[in-house]
Amino acid sequence: MIFFPSYKYMQKVYDEYCKLYENNDIVVQKKNMIEVEYEEFIKKFHINRDIIAFAVIGGAFSEGIDLTNDKLIGVVVIGTGIPQICLERNLIKQFFDNMYNMGFEFAYMYPGFNKVLQASGRVIRTEKDIGTVVLIDSRFMQHRYFKLFPEHWRRFNKVSTINELNNIQKKFWDEKRNMWNDKYNFRGKLKKW
């Protein structure tokens, strides 16, 4: 599942994707989906393990959905989730600037990072789930973001090219496959770890 910062950005990427590839393996979140459309979106993950979903961070699919086991094995988050500038957020910013000189953090950065955490949390829902999270935004490497990472995120790989990302993903999944093969003998009986 790929989470985008806005519907407009998501649509631009989707349009480019469709120029390059077939789009029968993509499901796209629509604005103002009704419950039937929401359920159909989720149902596709139960039917097709090779599906790619485009969704908006902070939307219905970045919170509160449980796609366990191998139904969702990866999430990509594009951007830091910062909310749009508005009067309410600016009032919060002004208040926390006056109180702690941290208005941007309380009004924009922390709520945005909470959305990143929520979206990333879609991958691991049970102790049996395995998957990866890719964060795309150079701001994540800034100390003020890095210090917000949960402890289990501190062992990450920084990549600059798609080839580096592909190599790291391949290594991760090869290791998981080897663990799986070691767990079961040739007759399928459980071995001790």
Side-chain angles (χ1 to χ4, degrees):
M1 191 172 289
I2 303 171
F3 291 102
F4 294 88
S6 68
Y7 284 99
K8 186 176 179 180
Y9 189 101
M10 179 178 68
Q11 189 61 51
K12 285 182 179 183
V13 172
Y14 178 73
D15 292 343
E16 290 300 314
Y17 183 92
C18 291
K19 289 177 189 176
L20 300 170
Y21 310 102
E22 292 183 26
N23 65 348
N24 56 357
D25 61 345
I26 298 258
V27 59
V28 180
Q29 179 182 358
K30 298 177 191 169
K31 282 185 180 179
N32 305 317
M33 292 174 81
I34 60 174
E35 189 162 340
V36 172
E37 293 171 313
Y38 175 86
E39 290 171 4
E40 282 297 315
F41 187 100
I42 297 297
K43 187 189 286 185
K44 291 184 180 188
F45 285 91
H46 296 275
I47 297 168
N48 183 356
R49 295 295 196 269
D50 295 325
I51 196 150
I52 300 169
F54 283 15
V56 175
I57 194 164
F61 300 108
S62 65
E63 300 176 9
I65 62 167
D66 292 327
L67 296 168
T68 58
N69 302 317
D70 63 346
K71 291 179 188 77
L72 181 63
I73 61 167
V75 162
V76 175
V77 178
I78 301 171
T80 57
I82 291 176
Q84 290 186 348
I85 296 172
C86 67
L87 177 61
E88 180 184 352
R89 293 260 163 226
N90 283 337
L91 290 172
I92 294 168
K93 181 182 180 303
Q94 183 179 16
F95 175 81
F96 283 102
D97 269 340
N98 292 336
M99 292 288 290
Y100 308 109
N101 197 28
M102 294 181 64
F104 175 78
E105 289 84 349
F106 281 96
Y108 292 101
M109 192 172 122
Y110 297 157
F113 196 74
N114 189 54
K115 290 179 192 177
V116 171
L117 291 171
Q118 289 287 334
S120 300
R122 299 309 94 211
V123 177
I124 306 297
R125 304 305 299 160
T126 72
E127 64 278 354
K128 295 178 183 177
D129 295 342
I130 298 171
T132 63
V133 174
V134 176
L135 304 177
I136 300 177
D137 196 307
S138 61
R139 290 174 286 185
F140 288 119
M141 295 285 63
Q142 295 174 1
H143 178 70
R144 66 190 199 167
Y145 277 97
F146 183 76
K147 70 181 183 181
L148 300 176
F149 282 19
E151 187 63 36
H152 62 281
W153 282 20
R154 301 289 167 104
R155 292 183 7 228
F156 64 88
N157 294 294
K158 180 181 174 187
V159 298
S160 299
T161 68
I162 193 69
N163 286 338
E164 288 178 304
L165 178 61
N166 287 338
N167 290 337
I168 288 169
Q169 290 282 339
K170 182 180 180 330
K171 181 180 176 191
F172 174 83
W173 290 108
D174 285 348
E175 288 174 2
K176 297 307 171 198
R177 189 175 307 107
N178 289 339
M179 282 176 51
W180 180 259
N181 290 338
D182 289 345
K183 185 176 177 182
Y184 294 94
N185 67 19
F186 67 95
R187 294 184 184 177
K189 294 182 180 175
L190 190 61
K191 288 184 179 178
K192 288 190 173 182
W193 280 92

